[in-house]
Amino acid sequence: MSALADRVDAFLAHLAHERRMSAHTQSAYARDLGSAADWLQERGLTDWGRVTTADLREFVAGRHRAGLKPASLARLVSALRSFYVWQMREGLARRNPATDVRAPKRPVRLPETVDVDDLAAMLDVTPEDDLEIRDHALLELFYSAGVRLAEAVGLDISDVDLAAGEARVLGKGSRQRSVPIGSRAIAALRNWLKVRPQLAAANETALFVSQRGSRLSRSSVAARMQRWAQQHGLPVHLHPHKLRHSFATHLLESSADLRAVQELLGHTNIGTTQIYTHLDFAHLAKVYDAAHPRAGRRADSDEA
């Protein structure tokens, strides 16, 4: 193993044991820094401390030409910067050559959402069996609380207080937050808790369990959600994050309280939440076009 790889391994151990980053993030950083180490090794550079900004720019540019997407390039640059911050703190490097490296800008992609009426039609049904009761409770929770997929499947029974109407979820970076649960979701969860003992294995703490009695997997949730959407006539593809986007968008359309939505979503940076302001404006523009008596003149002025 090379000296370059040894230092990457030490950094990854730091991420796992001191910063307690998720396994997904650790895996991504391992790939990114491993590819950088391989690239440097091929060029005879065997010391991270001697790598220059020009070297890293050439590496990132090469990855860009190879077809790496902007989001992945941004993560790559972020990994390199964090790696050097750690090296400097440990006295292993005197400067951070990744500071002035820039990844190509990512195009702004507006999150896809589901229409309020379509969601209501899909959710306002009576489940027919235990698995459908579970799926219904999951769907209501996603839309009511705006939780992430990992947060939902990670819930234990003890994390949910239906009397208080809230749940404690473990978000990104092992940050815990409380989220409110609406009355429809509370009712659906009560129905699920009545039948859960028929499926759950002994001593299983997970709120949502599979037919085998163990904690429900992420892939199972995604598959069951799409199955539910198809069975109940939803005209668009459905996945957990689309329900989270819908939760945020519909809430922002009604309240315009960006800070509150940020807290509910568990975003550490309000800039992440601001993507929903684009959707909110799109909604307002649509309402304006449909309702204002002089809205039609906008098209005329645009053409002038």
Side-chain angles (χ1 to χ4, degrees):
M1 185 178 292
S2 70
L4 294 171
D6 285 343
R7 193 166 296 180
V8 170
D9 288 344
F11 175 62
L12 294 173
H14 159 73
L15 295 183
H17 303 303
E18 295 182 39
R19 293 183 58 182
R20 300 183 65 185
M21 279 192 170
S22 69
H24 177 75
T25 301
Q26 292 177 50
S27 177
Y29 273 38
R31 287 194 303 272
D32 289 339
L33 296 174
S35 65
D38 291 342
W39 186 88
L40 292 170
Q41 190 79 41
E42 290 172 0
R43 282 153 182 77
L45 291 168
T46 58
D47 182 356
W48 286 106
R50 298 178 65 84
V51 174
T52 66
T53 298
D55 292 329
L56 295 183
R57 282 176 176 159
E58 184 182 349
F59 167 64
V60 173
R63 300 293 288 159
H64 183 37
R65 289 192 297 272
L68 204 64
K69 294 180 180 179
S72 298
L73 289 168
R75 187 197 63 220
L76 170 61
V77 172
S78 177
L80 287 165
R81 287 176 185 159
S82 297
F83 180 41
Y84 271 100
V85 167
W86 171 78
Q87 290 189 82
M88 291 171 67
R89 193 175 69 241
E90 296 294 317
L92 301 171
R94 289 180 296 177
R95 56 190 175 75
N96 189 339
T99 300
D100 294 325
V101 178
R102 296 287 179 268
K105 288 187 177 181
R106 287 179 286 181
V108 176
R109 292 181 58 192
L110 298 182
E112 295 181 355
T113 63
V114 184
D115 180 77
V116 174
D117 292 333
D118 288 338
L119 276 177
M122 183 189 75
L123 293 172
D124 292 342
V125 297
T126 302
E128 297 181 356
D129 57 38
D130 293 351
L131 292 181
E132 286 197 357
I133 291 174
R134 180 202 64 194
D135 295 345
H136 186 236
L138 256 171
L139 286 162
E140 288 282 9
L141 179 66
F142 274 116
Y143 185 48
S144 173
V147 293
R148 300 178 176 94
L149 175 56
E151 294 169 349
V153 298
L155 282 170
D156 288 335
I157 293 180
S158 59
D159 293 326
V160 178
D161 186 345
L162 297 183
E166 65 180 39
R168 295 185 306 274
V169 298
L170 191 64
K172 290 186 175 181
S174 298
R175 291 183 294 271
Q176 192 175 73
R177 72 183 189 282
S178 293
V179 294
I181 306 174
S183 58
R184 299 291 183 90
I186 290 173
L189 285 165
R190 288 192 193 281
N191 287 338
W192 162 238
L193 289 174
K194 290 177 184 176
V195 302
R196 179 187 173 279
Q198 300 173 32
L199 293 176
N203 301 318
E204 176 57 67
T205 60
L207 175 60
F208 296 108
V209 298
S210 67
Q211 284 180 293
R212 296 187 299 275
S214 57
R215 188 179 297 273
L216 196 60
S217 70
R218 299 187 195 187
S219 58
S220 295
V221 172
R224 292 288 298 188
M225 184 175 289
Q226 180 56 20
R227 178 177 179 272
W228 181 287
Q230 291 173 343
Q231 286 184 333
H232 295 89
L234 193 70
V236 295
H237 177 73
L238 186 66
H239 53 80
H241 224 60
K242 187 175 285 188
L243 275 184
R244 177 171 158 87
H245 291 323
S246 300
F247 159 83
T249 303
H250 298 164
L251 192 61
L252 189 59
E253 287 173 356
S254 301
S255 70
D257 191 336
L258 193 64
R259 287 288 182 184
V261 174
Q262 176 193 2
E263 288 292 324
L264 291 169
L265 291 174
H267 288 161
T268 55
N269 187 341
I270 198 168
T272 307
T273 319
Q274 283 175 332
I275 186 66
Y276 296 105
T277 61
H278 296 286
L279 290 170
D280 188 38
F281 178 80
H283 167 77
L284 293 175
K286 185 177 179 181
V287 171
Y288 176 87
D289 287 339
H292 198 283
R294 299 175 72 85
R297 292 187 178 274
R298 294 203 311 155
D300 296 335
S301 62
D302 287 344
E303 292 173 357

